Amino acid sequence: MQSVEGGCFCGKVRYRAEGTPTNTMVCHCQSCRRVAASPVVAWLTFPTEKFQFTAGSPREFQSSEPVRRTFCGACGTQLTYAHRRHPDAIDVATCSLDDPGAFPPTHHSWLSHDVAWLRFGDGLPSFQQSRTK
Ligand SMILES: [Zn+2]
Ligand SMILES: [Zn+2]
């Protein structure tokens, strides 16, 4: 089975996910932006049971009532996003993978939260909120 590995910038926290991601997208929402201090954050979704941390222990915090995010307590890299309403899925920050280029996104979400100067020209489907809303 295909597996992908990744981790934080300093290397203390590492993870592995198996199988094919069920979703790959770029999020423009305000929470992702502020947590990562970046205009957008790209995410891959895996079944929770296919994902595990293999080295170190990430720190965890709630970015909103139903959402728990993990990050490296030493270097600050954002690693995962888990929503209480979807306990069987975990989002992994695409650019924390060893090979982020292997998983191009299929769409953009939450363009309604964009900073004014942000422009993407990739032609992918874009949604003002979540694709599923
Ligand atoms: Zn780190
Ligand atoms: Zn987001």
Side-chain angles (χ1 to χ4, degrees), residues 13 53 56-62 68-80:
V13 181
F53 287 104
S57 298
R59 300 274 301 272
E60 186 177 272
F61 77 108
Q62 280 181 267
R68 305 192 78 84
R69 297 179 189 248
T70 64
F71 64 101
C72 174
C75 73
T77 303
Q78 296 293 314
L79 295 168
T80 67

Side-chain angles (χ1 to χ4, degrees), residues 98-127:
D98 295 340
D99 182 14
F103 299 99
T106 61
H107 65 281
H108 296 258
S109 287
W110 288 101
L111 269 73
S112 58
H113 288 188
D114 267 351
V115 286
W117 44 257
L118 193 64
R119 294 288 181 274
F120 273 71
D122 60 15
L124 291 176
S126 298
F127 301 88

Side-chain angles (χ1 to χ4, degrees), residues 62-68 81-86:
Q62 280 181 267
S63 60
S64 63
E65 207 274 318
V67 174
R68 305 192 78 84
Y81 168 110
H83 197 292
R84 196 175 52 213
R85 207 184 324 135
H86 307 287

Side-chain angles (χ1 to χ4, degrees), residues 4-17 51-55 58 71-72 75-80 92-100:
V4 296
E5 297 191 18
C8 66
F9 177 74
C10 78
K12 282 198 166 74
V13 181
R14 296 284 301 168
Y15 62 77
R16 180 186 305 123
F51 175 89
Q52 60 179 338
F53 287 104
T54 54
F71 64 101
C72 174
C75 73
T77 303
Q78 296 293 314
L79 295 168
T80 67
V92 180
T94 306
C95 290
S96 70
L97 292 175
D98 295 340
D99 182 14

